[in-house]
Amino acid sequence: AAVQKQYPCFMWYLCLERGLTQKAFQLSSVFRVRNALAYATHVFFQERNFSYIHTPIITSSDCEGAGEMFQLSTLLPAPDKTVVPIQEKPVEEIAAANEKVTQAGAAVRDLKEKKASKSEIKAAVEALNACKAEVAKLEKQPRLVGGLPQTDDQHVDYSQDFFSCPAYLTVSGQLQVETFCQAMSNVYTFGPTFRAEDSHTSRHLAEFWMIEPEIAFADLEDNMRLAEDYVKFCCHWVLERNMADLKAIDKYHEFAAKQAKKGGSKKKGQKATETRKADEPAVERVTKVANADFQRITYTDAIEVLKACGKKFDNPVEWGIDLASEHERYLAEEHFKLPTIIYNYPKDIKAFYMRMNEDGKTVAAMDLVCPQIGELIGGSQREERPEKLLERITELGLKEEDFSWYLDLRRFGTAIHSGFGLGFERLILFVTGMENIRDVIPFPRVPGAHII
């Protein structure tokens, strides 16, 4: 029922029967645009001599520091197995196994005293070693609580796990791709990322794709220029190759707008800013963006614009807040009416790896915000000074040992470098004008939903 409320009837059916989505006319156009944008991404970076790096999906580090990660483990009992609340170490089995070791040892000594053949002694030694191995195996079995191994201080014993440490699905490939940036200059990664955020909005997914370039010998200005060039390149690409698909999507939006006026698809209480405007067809909007110069504004100046605009926001505006979607969309949709780059954010709302500015209060971070969707790109100049980086890691309560390899990239020689991350599905939303992010990925993963 919760899913049904977010879709018109036929979209609800397709959402439940996801294997049939390719048969929906407008969604077929959306996925052709998705294909085109994926190809355009590789063309853009390859033509600029970026190297494509495959970063790992399994990681031990939380790049964003938000703690919203899917944990991986082989310690969990099988789904059909009954879990015993507490299972102590197998003391009796260990004692019995030790007794077998004693007996096997005595058998070896007897054979040696009797000067038995080498083959008999060898067989007896192998039996002894097998008994010792069984003891070692039993002694390694930890105390189990709820089916999980436990240490003496009552924590989960991850030394028994597959990787011998806690492991997670990655939220970003940035930290890993940075290692290649130091060796190969300009690099990028393009792959799936995951966020265990219990969000049911039309802008969030648990599994999504990220495009993350890293540029050597580049500061924040270079980073902002690359982000703008990439978005414009993608817009030109689909205009040249997917015009028919964009027009088909626009026809769908015209139909949806008419239904909304009749009260057919607009949800009760939904604000006008939460729906796509019928007078903004994809073809016109993408053409406008492809040929425009993006606006730029510092975070501090953006706060002043928001305070002075006279508009009442659900989230109060003051310096130091993490800008909400309504703030970002006001700047991009109503104030500048263009994609806008906001830069130099307060350090307290940004990640540890972003370069500290000279004022000690802000970092060299940037967000590209767009009409209808808000944030499209987030990036920064990376902190190349090891002492400053360690200071931020400590300040945020992160463990230095978890990032020792990342600190080593600075300790043993580095250069100024920058990069950004772009949520691929957000880009598709922006280009197509679709309202729900679940409609631009073939198999959406969201909280509480059945997965195939």
Side-chain angles (χ1 to χ4, degrees):
V3 177
Q4 184 180 11
K5 292 178 182 178
Q6 298 190 34
Y7 291 90
C9 183
F10 76 102
M11 291 292 284
W12 172 47
Y13 175 76
L14 291 172
C15 183
L16 295 179
E17 303 292 339
R18 201 65 190 183
L20 302 178
T21 54
Q22 68 274 20
K23 295 182 180 179
F25 184 68
Q26 75 285 354
L27 289 187
S28 295
S29 292
V30 168
F31 292 131
R32 279 191 289 270
V33 170
R34 181 186 177 102
N35 171 70
L37 289 172
Y39 186 51
T41 295
H42 289 294
V43 172
F44 176 84
F45 288 112
Q46 292 294 327
E47 286 184 348
R48 288 158 180 76
N49 295 319
F50 280 70
S51 297
Y52 179 32
I53 305 299
H54 297 95
T55 52
I57 290 177
I58 300 173
T59 181
S60 62
S61 58
D62 181 0
C63 178
E64 300 300 322
E68 297 168 333
M69 304 178 75
F70 287 102
Q71 188 166 357
L72 295 176
S73 178
T74 57
L75 296 177
L76 292 174
D80 57 349
K81 183 178 179 180
T82 302
V83 177
V84 179
I86 296 179
Q87 183 177 331
E88 300 292 348
K89 290 177 71 72
V91 178
E92 294 181 1
E93 293 180 44
I94 292 173
N98 276 321
E99 179 61 28
K100 289 182 179 179
V101 170
T102 301
Q103 295 173 0
V108 171
R109 287 194 298 274
D110 289 344
L111 289 173
K112 288 181 177 179
E113 289 173 1
K114 294 177 181 178
K115 297 183 179 181
S117 66
K118 289 184 179 180
S119 60
E120 289 179 304
I121 294 175
K122 181 180 178 182
V125 170
E126 289 177 351
L128 173 61
N129 290 336
C131 290
K132 289 181 177 179
E134 180 63 20
V135 170
K137 179 181 177 181
L138 291 170
E139 288 180 339
K140 281 185 66 177
Q141 290 186 19
R143 181 174 184 259
L144 300 180
V145 177
L148 297 175
Q150 192 178 72
T151 60
D152 293 337
D153 57 354
Q154 298 184 336
H155 289 86
V156 175
D157 186 2
Y158 286 107
S159 68
Q160 306 291 323
D161 210 347
F162 189 91
F163 294 105
S164 300
C165 68
Y168 309 89
L169 293 178
T170 186
V171 298
S172 169
Q174 179 214 310
L175 299 186
Q176 288 80 7
V177 82
E178 269 195 61
T179 64
F180 281 84
C181 177
Q182 304 303 306
M184 300 175 65
S185 191
N186 296 340
V187 294
Y188 72 104
T189 183
F190 182 11
T193 53
F194 308 84
R195 187 71 62 87
E197 182 179 1
D198 189 16
S199 175
H200 298 264
T201 73
S202 61
R203 298 172 62 248
H204 290 90
L205 290 167
E207 178 183 343
F208 51 98
W209 285 65
M210 287 286 288
I211 298 158
E212 298 173 290
E214 286 291 321
I215 332 159
F217 309 104
D219 59 15
L220 184 63
E221 174 65 29
D222 299 315
N223 202 31
M224 292 190 288
R225 188 181 308 115
L226 182 71
E228 180 174 345
D229 289 347
Y230 168 72
V231 173
K232 288 181 179 179
F233 180 89
C234 288
C235 289
H236 280 295
W237 187 274
V238 294
L239 285 171
E240 293 171 5
R241 293 164 175 80
N242 295 85
M243 181 63 77
D245 290 312
L246 293 179
K247 289 181 177 179
I249 293 168
D250 279 337
K251 285 184 179 180
Y252 163 72
H253 288 310
E254 289 175 8
F255 168 77
K258 290 178 182 178
Q259 292 295 104
K261 288 181 180 179
K262 297 177 182 178
S265 63
K266 186 177 177 181
K267 292 174 283 186
K268 184 178 180 181
Q270 188 177 42
K271 298 177 181 179
T273 55
E274 293 175 347
T275 60
R276 186 183 180 282
K277 298 175 182 177
D279 59 349
E280 294 178 340
V283 174
E284 291 182 17
R285 186 182 66 260
V286 174
T287 301
K288 179 181 177 182
V289 170
N291 298 295
D293 291 327
F294 291 6
Q295 297 296 311
R296 296 187 186 183
I297 187 172
T298 65
Y299 170 90
T300 300
D301 289 343
I303 291 294
E304 294 305 315
V305 169
L306 292 169
K307 283 182 175 180
C309 72
K311 184 181 180 70
K312 185 177 180 180
F313 296 103
D314 293 335
N315 299 279
V317 178
E318 60 182 19
W319 198 94
I321 66 165
D322 194 359
L323 295 178
S325 179
E326 61 175 338
H327 304 140
E328 296 169 340
R329 290 182 60 175
Y330 171 80
L331 292 168
E333 290 178 13
E334 299 183 46
H335 186 74
F336 291 115
K337 296 181 173 61
L338 281 172
T340 302
I341 298 176
I342 307 169
Y343 62 98
N344 288 346
Y345 279 81
K347 67 172 185 175
D348 293 334
I349 61 174
K350 289 298 181 180
F352 72 93
Y353 51 76
M354 298 184 177
R355 195 183 199 279
M356 185 74 69
N357 288 327
E358 296 305 319
D359 60 14
K361 298 188 301 182
T362 62
V363 290
M366 51 79 75
D367 285 344
L368 171 59
V369 299
C370 294
Q372 299 188 19
I373 64 169
E375 182 185 337
L376 176 63
I377 291 176
S380 71
Q381 182 175 335
R382 313 311 189 192
E383 182 59 81
E384 83 280 5
R385 299 164 293 184
E387 69 281 0
K388 292 288 186 181
L389 185 60
L390 180 57
E391 185 179 309
R392 284 289 286 154
I393 289 173
T394 305
E395 184 181 323
L396 294 174
L398 303 173
K399 296 180 181 178
E400 179 182 347
E401 58 267 26
D402 290 344
F403 299 95
S404 59
W405 62 273
Y406 191 68
L407 287 161
D408 285 345
L409 293 176
R410 277 75 176 163
R411 292 180 178 131
F412 300 112
T414 188
I416 63 168
H417 58 288
S418 302
F420 63 77
L422 175 143
F424 187 51
E425 284 72 28
R426 293 276 184 92
L427 176 63
I428 303 168
L429 278 182
F430 174 66
V431 170
T432 62
M434 296 296 287
E435 292 182 8
N436 198 312
I437 199 167
R438 303 178 192 189
D439 292 333
V440 299
I441 188 169
F443 298 96
R445 302 299 189 226
V446 294
H450 174 70
I451 59 175
I452 58 173

